[in-house]
Amino acid sequence: MSTRIVEIRAKVMRQNDLLAHALRERFETSGVSVVGLVSSPGSGKTAFLEKLLSGLARDFRVAALVGDLATENDAARLKRATPNVRQITTGTICHLDAQMIEKALEGWQLDTLDFLFIENVGNLVCPSSYDLGEELRFVMLSATEGEDKPLKYPTIFNSSDVAIITKMDLAEAAEFDVAAARRNIESVRPGMQIFEVSAKTGSGMQRVFQLLRDQLAHSRETRPALQIQTIQ
C-alpha cells in the first residue's frame, strides 16, 4: 500500500512540474513578472502584499491571486489596491498548485499586466513542494514568530529566492533578535537576499519595490521582442 501511495504522489508532482513549466513559459511570453509569497499564518503576508500592490499600481499594471482555505476576505481587502484580484479557495488543501493557478487565470490577458503576485495558503510545509511557475518566490517570517523559523522549515527557505522579515515595527517589543534570524537564514540558504520591512510604517518597502522594478527590467531585457508598457 505504501508503494502505491508513493507512486501516486510522484505522478502528481510530475504533473504539477509539467504544468508549472508551461505556466512559466506563458508568463515569460506575456512579459509579466510573477512573484509568489509563502509564509505561516499571521506573518503579515496580506498586509505586505496590499502595500506592494498600492505602491506599484502608480506606475505598473498589477494583479494578484490569493489562496486560502476558506472565505474571500483577503481578496476583498486587496481589491482596495487593485481590482485585478482573484481568490482561490482550496477547502482542505494546504497549498496552491499549478492547476489551481491555471484555472484562476482563465479569461485574464496576461500581456496586459506587468506584475502578478500569488499569495499562497498560510503554511511553511506543503507549498515548498509545488512549483507555480513563479519567477521569484518570497518566503516571509515575522518578528513576532521568533528567529528559528528558518531552522524549523529549511525546505521552504531553500525553495525560495528572497526572505522578507515582516512586522519590524514590533521587533523591539517582541524581543526579536534580527542578527540571529539573519544567521539562521544564511545557514540554510547561503547568500539569500533578506529584507526587513514593516507594512504598517512602510519601513524597508522601498528596497523591495526597487528589487521588483529591477527584476522586471532584467527579465524584459532578455526578451527584447516584447513591447514594454507602463502606466502613463
Side-chain angles (χ1 to χ4, degrees):
M1 180 64 72
S2 61
T3 301
R4 176 63 175 159
I5 292 173
V6 170
E7 288 175 350
I8 292 173
R9 175 170 172 77
K11 182 178 180 180
V12 168
M13 297 307 299
R14 284 196 299 271
Q15 290 174 337
N16 185 84
D17 288 345
L18 288 171
L19 186 50
H21 179 73
L23 282 171
R24 184 168 287 109
E25 289 187 336
R26 182 180 170 191
F27 295 147
E28 290 177 355
T29 300
S30 300
V32 58
S33 184
V34 182
V35 182
L37 282 71
V38 293
S39 75
S40 57
S43 68
K45 187 164 69 269
T46 304
F48 172 77
L49 180 53
E50 184 179 13
K51 204 78 169 181
L52 281 184
L53 293 172
S54 298
L56 291 171
R58 300 165 191 158
D59 302 302
F60 300 96
R61 302 160 300 175
V62 298
L65 300 177
V66 187
D68 222 332
L69 297 178
T71 82
E72 296 191 3
N73 293 345
D74 288 351
R77 174 179 179 176
L78 294 176
K79 283 182 179 179
R80 298 184 302 196
T82 175
N84 302 320
V85 179
R86 290 182 176 176
Q87 182 79 44
I88 303 174
T89 304
T90 65
T92 59
I93 301 174
C94 60
H95 59 84
L96 297 178
D97 61 32
Q99 186 174 18
M100 294 178 191
I101 300 303
E102 182 183 50
K103 182 174 178 58
L105 291 174
E106 289 178 358
W108 263 1
Q109 297 296 318
L110 292 176
D111 58 2
T112 66
L113 298 176
D114 297 307
F115 290 101
L116 171 63
F117 294 91
I118 302 174
E119 180 183 342
N120 216 313
V121 177
N123 192 311
L124 286 177
V125 180
C126 304
S128 63
S129 301
Y130 289 84
D131 184 4
L132 304 179
E134 320 102 302
E135 184 176 10
L136 285 178
R137 177 180 286 181
F138 289 179
V139 59
M140 305 172 64
L141 68 154
S142 72
T144 56
E145 292 179 273
E147 306 85 4
D148 60 351
K149 270 289 193 293
L151 303 180
K152 290 181 176 179
Y153 304 97
T155 304
I156 195 67
F157 282 83
N158 276 309
S159 64
S160 300
D161 304 290
V162 178
I164 308 288
I165 303 176
T166 62
K167 300 186 180 182
M168 285 302 296
D169 54 296
L170 299 177
E172 185 175 354
E175 298 184 348
F176 180 71
D177 188 334
V178 180
R182 284 180 164 271
R183 286 195 301 271
N184 291 339
I185 294 170
E186 179 70 19
S187 71
V188 299
R189 182 73 155 80
M192 190 178 213
Q193 290 190 81
I194 304 170
F195 295 85
E196 301 167 18
V197 306
S198 167
K200 182 177 182 179
T201 68
S203 173
M205 292 300 299
Q206 287 304 319
R207 290 186 61 220
V208 181
F209 288 139
Q210 192 58 55
L211 169 73
L212 292 170
R213 292 189 189 101
D214 291 345
Q215 183 66 32
L216 181 65
H218 174 73
S219 298
R220 288 179 166 177
E221 283 174 3
T222 64
R223 300 188 294 276
L226 290 172
Q227 182 178 359
I228 301 174
Q229 298 178 343
T230 56
I231 296 173
Q232 301 298 319

